[in-house]
Amino acid sequence: GENVEQHPSTLSVQEGDSAVIKCTYSDSASNYFPWYKQELGKRPQLIIDIRSNVGEKKDQRIAVTLNKTAKHFSLHITETQPEDSAVYFCAASYSRSGNQFYFGTGTSLTVIP
Amino acid sequence: SQTIHQWPATLVQPVGSPLSLECTVEGTSNPNLYWYRQAAGRGLQLLFYSVGIGQISSEVPQNLSASRPQDRQFILSSKKLLLSDSGFYLCAWRVPVWAGAGEQYFGPGTRLTVT
């Protein structure tokens, strides 16, 4: 099956700086790559996603890049704010049979005011 | 609009007791359904997924089972709970691939503590 690795596991940045989280995947058939934000005790919520036919997608301060050849994708958060502090999960999904969804192990982001 | 419900919200059960967690989705048909477990401070572990009534795929061998008796109902069960079953259980749904699958939508979760 698919194997998604995520780095770093923890990340601290000063408010206003940028944060980058990276994920790699193993199955070249994966074609959908979402990023979720999970605040303490709450459910994960989608913040941005990208499909395999696109190399980059941006939504205000958040962007995701995808390199299909290298099988890695990254989340970029610019001008970080304290409310960006949370755990971020990447995921990879493919439709070969059953629509499995595989998550990375998460990155705990702390934005220091 | 679509909504997803899970209950109970919290549960404390002794080791060896049975378990039944329920998840229902409203406002959509033929969803793909998923059960995840999240141990404290850890990632999301996919336990089961289902693409239709009675169709269950297991990702991790364990003492848990899942059933889908109706299109929008997904149940997670255990006959005898272990201490290691403690965690935050999340149900999720997704539009099938043939309908343009995208993100997964998560339920509010059930926090299970096995004592």
Side-chain angles (χ1 to χ4, degrees):
Chain A
E2 174 66 278
N3 181 42
V4 178
E5 295 189 355
Q6 184 172 346
H7 301 279
S9 57
T10 59
L11 179 60
S12 291
V13 300
Q14 290 291 135
E15 182 177 358
D17 288 350
S18 295
V20 180
I21 303 170
K22 298 182 179 181
C23 286
T24 61
Y25 60 99
S26 60
D27 194 330
S28 56
S30 290
N31 55 12
Y32 175 69
F33 307 92
W35 285 90
Y36 285 83
K37 175 183 180 181
Q38 186 179 29
E39 297 177 348
L40 191 63
K42 297 190 176 180
R43 73 185 89 181
Q45 302 231 330
L46 180 79
I47 56 172
I48 196 166
D49 57 9
I50 192 167
R51 295 189 181 273
S52 57
N53 58 348
V54 176
E56 184 174 0
K57 185 176 178 180
K58 190 173 181 180
D59 182 4
Q60 299 183 341
R61 297 187 296 109
I62 295 172
V64 56
T65 58
L66 171 65
N67 184 326
K68 286 177 58 180
T69 302
K71 292 191 205 140
H72 67 72
F73 56 113
S74 300
L75 176 71
H76 304 254
I77 306 174
T78 58
E79 302 172 22
T80 53
Q81 301 167 3
E83 51 266 37
D84 293 330
S85 297
V87 178
Y88 291 81
F89 292 97
C90 64
S93 175
Y94 58 100
S95 57
R96 195 151 50 187
S97 61
N99 305 290
Q100 292 97 328
F101 226 85
Y102 294 99
F103 283 83
T105 50
T107 296
S108 178
L109 173 65
T110 301
V111 179
I112 304 166
Chain B
S1 64
Q2 302 88 3
T3 55
I4 178 169
H5 304 280
Q6 281 187 251
W7 63 89
T10 59
L11 190 60
V12 180
Q13 291 283 96
V15 168
S17 64
L19 173 74
S20 181
L21 302 181
E22 189 163 344
C23 171
T24 58
V25 181
E26 297 177 354
T28 187
S29 297
N30 304 307
N32 290 338
L33 297 172
Y34 306 80
W35 276 113
Y36 291 90
R37 177 171 58 203
Q38 188 174 33
R42 304 293 293 275
L44 295 159
Q45 181 186 31
L46 178 63
L47 301 176
F48 300 94
Y49 67 91
S50 171
V51 299
I53 296 173
Q55 299 178 62
I56 309 294
S57 295
S58 173
E59 288 293 301
V60 182
Q62 58 215 327
N63 69 320
L64 298 172
S65 62
S67 62
R68 185 170 177 175
Q70 301 180 42
D71 181 45
R72 289 169 287 180
Q73 184 184 30
F74 206 22
I75 297 171
L76 183 69
S77 304
S78 174
K79 292 182 179 178
K80 289 185 178 181
L81 283 169
L82 306 173
L83 285 174
S84 57
D85 291 324
S86 293
F88 191 42
Y89 287 81
L90 288 157
C91 180
W93 75 272
R94 186 190 191 196
V95 172
V97 169
W98 53 262
E103 69 174 290
Q104 281 191 341
Y105 299 89
F106 286 89
T110 295
R111 191 162 302 281
L112 171 66
T113 304
V114 182
T115 59

